[in-house]
């Protein structure tokens, strides 16, 4: 398992103990020197995106967190002041995931594509992330994955399987914007698909056993 993935998994365990309290209310404005239960959520999201390099999350907003926020803000075109205010939080939640969402994304990737190549697994995660960004679908990872009839693996119980480290790595890459599908919103197996509607969609690429489409 890659060292960075081991660090993420270790951080997830530490984060789980303080997640419920941190999600109890809307995140507060955070800046250097503050200790808050919202800080671990901030650090985790920045960690998944590759900005926060500490191996564990804490409740303290130190210089490493401030630097990560500044680099995130600069890359996404907002004022790079190192303060996690409402605008930064809103953008961060749109382009990142928290621990629960990363778990869900890894689970759907493993359930739907564990027999596919690594690129094929990232592609499934990318479809989920593309749906989150699309006005045609719900706007959270959880809602997209659990939308009625959206994924076969949710309906047939495979979604309950425990994902492996490859699925987590694929989920992280998908969150970071790796998208081999060409912005696809759908995918299907041409050998088993029976819906005439899915065949009517504009196809973007075929990866392994899946055709991706918009």
């Amino acid at each position: 398992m890659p060292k960075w993935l081991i660090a993420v998994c270790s951080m997830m365990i530490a984060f789980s103990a303080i997640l419920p309290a941190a999600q109890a209310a809307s995140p507060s404005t955070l800046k250097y020197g503050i200790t808050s239960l919202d800080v671990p959520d901030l650090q985790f999201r920045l960690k998944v995106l590759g900005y926060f390099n500490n191996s564990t999350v804490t409740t303290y907003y130190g210089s490493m967190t401030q630097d990560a926020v500044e680099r995130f803000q600069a890359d996404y075109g907002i004022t790079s002041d190192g303060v996690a205010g409402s605008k930064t939080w809103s953008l961060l939640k749109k382009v990142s995931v928290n621990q629960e969402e990363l778990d869900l994304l890894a689970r759907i990737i493993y359930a739907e594509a564990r027999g596919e190549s690594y690129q094929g697994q990232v592609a499934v995660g990318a479809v989920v992330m593309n749906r989150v960004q699309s006005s045609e679908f719900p706007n959270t990872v959880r809602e997209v994955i659990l939308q009625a009839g959206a994924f076969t693996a949710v309906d047939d119980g495979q979604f309950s399987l425990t994902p492996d480290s490859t699925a987590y790595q694929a989920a992280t890459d998908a969150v970071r914007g790796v998208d081999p599908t060409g912005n696809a919103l759908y995918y299907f197996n041409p050998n088993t698909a029976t819906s005439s509607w899915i065949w009517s969609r504009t196809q973007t690429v075929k990866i392994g056993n899946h055709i991706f489409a918009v």
Side-chain angles (χ1 to χ4, degrees):
M1 185 185 297
K3 290 183 179 179
W4 68 265
L5 189 59
I6 293 174
V8 169
C9 292
S10 298
M11 181 178 60
M12 287 164 57
I13 294 172
F15 183 50
S16 62
I18 45 183
L19 176 64
Q23 292 184 330
S26 299
S28 57
T29 296
L30 303 174
K31 59 183 179 180
Y32 180 80
I34 282 180
T35 297
S36 170
L37 290 177
D38 287 323
V39 175
D41 185 22
L42 177 72
Q43 292 174 344
F44 186 89
R45 291 175 182 276
L46 292 168
K47 178 76 174 182
V48 174
L49 291 175
Y51 291 100
F52 185 71
N53 298 318
N54 199 5
S55 59
T56 58
V57 298
T58 70
T59 58
Y60 179 66
Y61 197 112
S63 58
M64 187 175 290
T65 305
Q66 179 176 275
D67 175 70
V69 171
E70 288 176 353
R71 287 185 288 115
F72 168 77
Q73 291 169 328
D75 285 350
Y76 283 85
I78 59 178
T79 302
S80 182
D81 57 8
V83 177
S86 59
K87 192 171 184 178
T88 297
W89 270 114
S90 178
L91 180 58
L92 186 60
K93 286 190 172 186
K94 186 176 181 180
V95 301
S96 69
V97 293
N98 60 24
Q99 180 191 350
E100 178 194 21
E101 291 167 334
L102 186 65
D103 289 341
L104 291 173
L105 190 56
R107 282 173 60 190
I108 198 63
I109 289 171
Y110 187 75
E112 291 272 326
R114 61 187 179 277
E116 298 294 320
S117 66
Y118 182 71
Q119 184 186 43
Q121 294 186 48
V122 175
V124 168
V127 167
V128 174
M129 298 308 296
N130 290 341
R131 288 186 179 187
V132 171
Q133 300 299 319
S134 172
S135 60
E136 300 176 30
F137 293 89
N139 58 9
T140 70
V141 168
R142 167 177 281 278
E143 291 173 325
V144 163
I145 291 174
L146 298 182
Q147 187 176 27
F151 294 97
T152 302
V154 174
D155 296 332
D156 67 16
Q158 294 185 70
F159 185 58
S160 64
L161 296 173
T162 301
D164 59 14
S165 61
T166 301
Y168 272 100
Q169 186 172 349
T172 301
D173 278 346
V175 173
R176 291 181 178 182
V178 179
D179 184 0
T181 74
N183 298 313
L185 294 172
Y186 307 95
Y187 63 89
F188 63 97
N189 186 327
N191 297 319
T192 59
T194 58
S195 167
S196 58
W197 178 87
I198 195 63
W199 281 101
S200 72
R201 309 305 300 182
T202 301
Q203 298 178 15
T204 59
V205 66
K206 186 176 188 294
I207 303 175
N209 292 313
H210 290 140
I211 291 176
F212 294 82
V214 293

